[in-house]
Amino acid sequence: MKVGIIGSGQLGYMMINTMRRYPIEFYVIDDNKGPSAFIADKFFDVSQYKEFVDSCDYVTYEFEHIDKNILEYADSKGKLRPSIKAVELKQDRSLEKKYLKDHGFPIADYEYAETYRDAFNKAKNFGKAVIKSCKGGYDGKNQYFIDNSSRFEGHPDIPYVVEKFIDYEYEASIIAVRDANGKFYHFEPSFNYNQNGILIYNISPIGNTIEMIDIAKKLMDSLEYIGVMGIEYYVVDGKVIINEYAPRVHNTGHHTLTGSSISQFEEHILAVAGMNIVRPDLFVPSGIVNIIGTDIREKIGSLLNLGNTNIYWYHKNEVRGKRKMGHVNVYGESYNAVEQKIREIIEILYGDRLEDFIQ
Amino acid sequence: MKVGIIGSGQLGYMMINTMRRYPIEFYVIDDNKGPSAFIADKFFDVSQYKEFVDSCDYVTYEFEHIDKNILEYADSKGKLRPSIKAVELKQDRSLEKKYLKDHGFPIADYEYAETYRDAFNKAKNFGKAVIKSCKGGYDGKNQYFIDNSSRFEGHPDIPYVVEKFIDYEYEASIIAVRDANGKFYHFEPSFNYNQNGILIYNISPIGNTIEMIDIAKKLMDSLEYIGVMGIEYYVVDGKVIINEYAPRVHNTGHHTLTGSSISQFEEHILAVAGMNIVRPDLFVPSGIVNIIGTDIREKIGSLLNLGNTNIYWYHKNEVRGKRKMGHVNVYGESYNAVEQKIREIIEILYGDRLEDFIQ
């Protein structure tokens, strides 16, 4: 069997590496050679997209910003999983918001805006709001927090969504999987800590997750979704609202590589390739710390010496500020034990200068 | 860092695949291209052994029957781990026996024999005995069970060891790791079920293991061992005797890929590459069933559907009788739960015809 992955970054890398032990070949397509290009069975340039799709039994993706030609061609051949709809909604934030709202999922109040000036005015009406470009933003890029003291500073004339600012208690996320027959499993939701819009660490399991699981099942059913989805939630006054979903394996699911019976990467490929998805068992509380903008070669000894850690290095060609270079998985007897280890890992990676690495 | 692995079989494959997430490159050398040749960063033919050794920081091996030139050259450059002594003892069964006996480790009574006729006579003196060729035997090859009714049948004139037959209660094994500073950790020993000299399944953890752990520590210290070692034991009347050791990762340690905080493959490379070995934590009872002489492509669905399973396929170029093609990892709430799943896996793989696949 041949499974194609659109995108050659770390998520595809972990898919391939995790699933190497199955009788599956992995083909990768991208416009430049990221980490997974070097471990794929075959690499295709985007110009070869027809050959790529034709030679695969199934085609999936590891990021949302995909060339329209590839998407549509893979879809026309009936090979694309998750569906083209699931990813098209993600290519424009306003479409995602509208879909969620129209289908009755809980989201923050929002407005669509044709221009930044329009968005700025609508944000002022909310009092506090966040302006996000409809296209192309991730890891906090193209996002602007606005309150009554903010001044108009003139941004590019592109469409935006304006979200009412949510003073949430915490961010959580769920990783769930659904197969072509509608079978559904979920991993235990996690608490996520972000700074500058970038995930710094997370911990699983957490309590009060019934609503999160219920929303995941309904959203995936409504999209007739096949594969793993990550959904980020805000928890406000004990209620859950959706921040956004990701139609792919997700950074907040990397902890499933440690202390679970199966990882999000395996579940995703099992679903995509029409194999039996399985119930994940959680053996022990676990979490991750992202390695951002720093090399760890000199720190591996210290990280291992902490105990209860696993190292994941993404083999990117260059260390840059804000860039996710890898992550450290960590497990412990309890949520608090994991949290304590996470503090120690952050100290090893960043000292007290975390802020310098995520600018 | 560059780590060289002598041998391109499934053990090296799992080492590379498990450790891909570290900033390490893996070079492989072999006289033909086994599974790991295709995922290595570079493959060398045995004729290129000097270039292979020179380009690596450390050199390890995944089997014992290694060309003397490579071994001696890697050793002369101070790069070979585990040491040349640990592997040389394994290249001649009589040297291994003598070493263990001379150092006071518990083994079965044995005699060295220059020829098969000599071995046959010595076996008759034991009553019941097993004759094993000094060189080249594994998975039950070149081994002969002899009792009073056996007739001399004329075997090649090569040296043998003759072991007094041990009517053992069960076979167990331990996987342990030692680093260059003498730090020692062990995984929980397993119960092993063999048929025709081939491991069919195993389960971990088991009780009464203090002696097994103690022997492992002493043996590894005595060899100033660096890396993972597997030791097979016979348990007789509550006592433990060594069957043999393997100076490498071991088939009975594959269960550490499921339900453990770290696998034998990671520990081995951490030790070999001079990184910090870590205490393995067992999350849940686990075991394996070997996939021998059969293709599983049509059976993956059923194996996954059982639940609590992970599939490992070795990507060998041809299915042959007795050949280990992969294994299934399995976990459960208890030893008995794992054992029950193992019965179901054996039924899926072999029906009631296991014997046909291991001839």
Side-chain angles (χ1 to χ4, degrees):
Chain A
M1 186 191 298
K2 292 172 186 70
V3 173
I5 302 172
I6 304 170
S8 62
Q10 68 262 24
L11 299 177
Y13 190 95
M14 286 186 272
M15 280 183 213
I16 296 176
N17 208 34
T18 304
M19 295 303 281
R20 266 275 168 251
R21 54 194 177 73
Y22 279 80
I24 299 175
E25 285 179 74
F26 289 96
Y27 291 179
V28 168
I29 191 165
D30 206 341
D31 54 9
N32 56 60
K33 287 192 170 186
S36 83
F38 302 97
I39 62 165
D41 292 292
K42 203 165 175 184
F43 178 80
F44 296 76
D45 183 77
V46 283
S47 64
Q48 305 166 289
Y49 71 89
K50 286 191 180 172
E51 192 189 336
F52 166 76
V53 170
D54 291 343
S55 61
C56 292
D57 298 296
Y58 302 99
V59 173
T60 189
Y61 41 89
E62 56 124 47
F63 73 137
E64 295 91 300
H65 305 293
I66 306 168
D67 183 88
K68 200 177 162 74
N69 291 326
I70 308 179
L71 267 191
E72 290 183 351
Y73 188 69
D75 181 49
S76 74
K77 297 289 176 180
K79 295 180 177 180
L80 190 69
R81 298 174 166 201
S83 70
I84 194 164
K85 186 175 181 185
V87 64
E88 279 178 347
L89 291 178
K90 287 303 300 184
Q91 294 183 336
D92 184 328
R93 219 178 268 277
S94 67
L95 296 181
E96 179 188 7
K97 293 277 179 205
K98 185 171 184 323
Y99 182 88
L100 294 174
K101 191 174 174 187
D102 288 352
H103 288 75
F105 292 103
I107 58 169
D109 290 345
Y110 82 99
E111 298 265 5
Y112 173 77
E114 287 281 353
T115 63
Y116 187 79
R117 178 170 298 279
D118 182 19
F120 186 77
N121 291 334
K122 285 173 170 159
K124 287 279 185 179
N125 290 342
F126 278 129
K128 286 185 187 174
V130 181
I131 296 176
K132 297 174 178 176
S133 64
C134 286
K135 297 189 180 185
Y138 63 94
D139 281 353
K141 287 170 195 158
N142 292 328
Q143 301 196 0
Y144 311 95
F145 171 77
I146 306 292
D147 66 12
N148 285 322
S149 68
S150 301
R151 288 167 165 273
F152 176 75
E153 306 225 20
H155 286 270
D157 240 1
I158 54 174
Y160 289 92
V161 294
V162 184
E163 282 177 29
K164 185 177 172 184
F165 177 74
I166 301 291
D167 191 16
Y168 55 87
E169 289 157 53
Y170 59 93
E171 187 197 290
S173 61
I174 191 169
I175 308 297
V177 63
R178 184 180 182 277
D179 74 8
N181 302 315
K183 198 197 277 183
F184 169 91
Y185 291 118
H186 67 90
F187 292 89
E188 292 294 327
S190 64
F191 165 88
N192 305 328
Y193 177 76
N194 297 282
Q195 201 167 317
N196 292 9
I198 302 176
L199 179 73
I200 309 298
Y201 70 84
N202 80 334
I203 310 178
S204 169
I206 56 174
N208 299 321
T209 59
I210 292 174
E211 226 178 315
M212 298 180 196
I213 298 163
D214 187 53
I215 289 171
K217 169 117 182 50
K218 284 181 180 149
L219 177 55
M220 291 168 86
D221 281 343
S222 87
L223 289 165
E224 298 183 50
Y225 193 87
I226 301 174
V228 160
M229 176 184 277
I231 307 173
E232 292 177 10
Y233 297 110
Y234 295 137
V235 179
V236 198
D237 303 328
K239 292 271 178 199
V240 166
I241 66 174
I242 299 178
N243 175 26
E244 62 175 336
Y245 79 84
R248 52 168 168 79
V249 292
H250 194 246
N251 195 179
T252 65
H254 295 355
H255 66 92
T256 63
L257 287 161
T258 296
S260 282
S261 58
I262 185 169
S263 73
Q264 64 168 346
F265 304 100
E266 182 167 355
E267 292 281 19
H268 183 69
I269 298 295
L270 291 180
V272 163
M275 297 157 91
N276 276 319
I277 60 172
V278 301
R279 187 197 67 243
D281 281 332
L282 183 74
F283 297 143
V284 68
S286 62
I288 71 148
V289 179
N290 271 329
I291 301 167
I292 304 161
T294 183
D295 199 327
I296 55 154
R297 275 162 239 236
E298 303 301 315
K299 295 170 182 165
I300 290 178
S302 308
L303 290 168
L304 290 171
N305 207 33
L306 263 188
N308 298 32
T309 55
N310 292 149
I311 311 289
Y312 289 80
W313 180 247
Y314 300 155
H315 303 269
K316 291 185 179 176
N317 56 4
E318 191 191 359
V319 178
R320 289 202 297 262
K322 292 188 83 162
R323 195 177 206 193
K324 290 176 188 164
M325 303 304 300
H327 69 268
V328 181
N329 269 28
V330 50
Y331 67 93
E333 286 177 7
S334 65
Y335 185 98
N336 289 343
V338 174
E339 195 173 35
Q340 179 53 40
K341 287 276 180 195
I342 284 174
R343 281 205 200 95
E344 292 170 30
I345 293 166
I346 288 174
E347 172 68 28
I348 290 172
L349 290 175
Y350 307 110
D352 55 3
R353 301 190 304 117
L354 171 60
E355 192 66 33
D356 294 350
F357 295 89
I358 57 177
Q359 297 295 342
Chain B
M1 186 192 298
K2 291 172 187 71
V3 173
I5 301 173
I6 305 170
S8 62
Q10 68 262 24
L11 299 177
Y13 191 94
M14 287 186 272
M15 280 184 212
I16 295 175
N17 209 34
T18 305
M19 295 304 281
R20 268 273 169 253
R21 54 195 177 74
Y22 279 80
I24 298 175
E25 284 178 75
F26 289 96
Y27 291 179
V28 168
I29 191 166
D30 206 341
D31 53 9
N32 56 59
K33 286 192 170 185
S36 84
F38 302 96
I39 62 166
D41 291 292
K42 203 165 176 184
F43 179 81
F44 295 76
D45 183 78
V46 283
S47 65
Q48 304 167 290
Y49 71 90
K50 286 191 179 171
E51 193 189 335
F52 166 77
V53 170
D54 290 345
S55 61
C56 292
D57 297 297
Y58 302 98
V59 173
T60 188
Y61 41 90
E62 56 126 45
F63 72 137
E64 296 90 301
H65 305 291
I66 306 167
D67 183 88
K68 200 177 159 74
N69 290 325
I70 307 178
L71 268 190
E72 289 183 350
Y73 189 69
D75 180 51
S76 75
K77 297 288 176 179
K79 295 180 176 180
L80 189 70
R81 297 173 166 200
S83 70
I84 194 164
K85 187 174 181 186
V87 65
E88 279 178 346
L89 292 178
K90 286 302 300 185
Q91 293 183 337
D92 184 328
R93 220 178 266 278
S94 68
L95 296 181
E96 179 187 8
K97 294 278 180 203
K98 186 172 184 320
Y99 183 87
L100 293 174
K101 191 174 174 186
D102 289 352
H103 288 76
F105 292 101
I107 59 169
D109 290 345
Y110 82 99
E111 298 266 4
Y112 173 76
E114 287 282 353
T115 63
Y116 186 80
R117 178 168 299 278
D118 182 19
F120 186 77
N121 291 334
K122 283 172 170 159
K124 287 281 185 177
N125 291 342
F126 278 129
K128 286 184 187 176
V130 181
I131 297 177
K132 298 175 178 175
S133 65
C134 286
K135 296 189 180 182
Y138 64 96
D139 280 352
K141 288 170 194 157
N142 292 328
Q143 300 197 359
Y144 311 94
F145 172 76
I146 305 293
D147 66 12
N148 284 323
S149 68
S150 303
R151 289 166 167 272
F152 176 73
E153 306 221 24
H155 285 269
D157 238 4
I158 54 173
Y160 288 91
V161 293
V162 184
E163 282 177 29
K164 186 177 172 183
F165 177 74
I166 300 292
D167 190 16
Y168 56 87
E169 290 157 54
Y170 61 92
E171 187 198 289
S173 62
I174 192 169
I175 308 296
V177 61
R178 183 180 183 277
D179 74 8
N181 302 317
K183 198 198 278 183
F184 169 91
Y185 291 118
H186 68 90
F187 291 91
E188 291 295 326
S190 65
F191 165 88
N192 306 328
Y193 176 76
N194 298 281
Q195 201 167 316
N196 292 8
I198 303 176
L199 180 73
I200 309 300
Y201 71 83
N202 80 334
I203 309 178
S204 168
I206 55 174
N208 300 319
T209 60
I210 293 173
E211 227 179 314
M212 299 180 195
I213 297 162
D214 186 54
I215 290 171
K217 170 118 181 52
K218 284 180 180 149
L219 177 54
M220 291 169 86
D221 281 345
S222 86
L223 288 165
E224 297 184 52
Y225 194 86
I226 301 174
V228 159
M229 176 184 278
I231 308 174
E232 291 177 11
Y233 297 111
Y234 294 137
V235 179
V236 198
D237 303 327
K239 292 273 177 198
V240 166
I241 66 174
I242 299 178
N243 175 27
E244 61 175 337
Y245 79 84
R248 54 170 166 78
V249 292
H250 194 247
N251 195 180
T252 65
H254 295 355
H255 66 92
T256 62
L257 287 160
T258 296
S260 282
S261 60
I262 185 168
S263 73
Q264 63 168 346
F265 304 100
E266 182 167 355
E267 292 281 20
H268 183 68
I269 298 295
L270 291 180
V272 163
M275 297 159 91
N276 276 319
I277 61 173
V278 301
R279 186 198 67 245
D281 281 331
L282 182 73
F283 297 143
V284 68
S286 62
I288 72 148
V289 179
N290 270 329
I291 301 167
I292 305 162
T294 185
D295 199 327
I296 54 154
R297 274 161 240 234
E298 303 301 315
K299 295 170 182 167
I300 291 178
S302 308
L303 291 168
L304 289 172
N305 208 32
L306 264 188
N308 297 34
T309 55
N310 292 150
I311 312 288
Y312 288 81
W313 181 247
Y314 300 157
H315 303 269
K316 292 184 179 177
N317 55 4
E318 190 191 359
V319 178
R320 288 201 298 262
K322 293 189 82 162
R323 195 178 206 192
K324 290 175 187 163
M325 302 305 301
H327 69 269
V328 181
N329 269 28
V330 50
Y331 67 92
E333 286 178 5
S334 64
Y335 185 98
N336 289 343
V338 174
E339 196 172 35
Q340 179 53 39
K341 287 277 180 198
I342 283 174
R343 281 203 202 93
E344 293 169 29
I345 294 166
I346 288 175
E347 173 67 28
I348 290 171
L349 291 175
Y350 307 111
D352 55 2
R353 302 189 304 114
L354 171 59
E355 192 66 32
D356 295 351
F357 295 89
I358 57 177
Q359 297 294 343

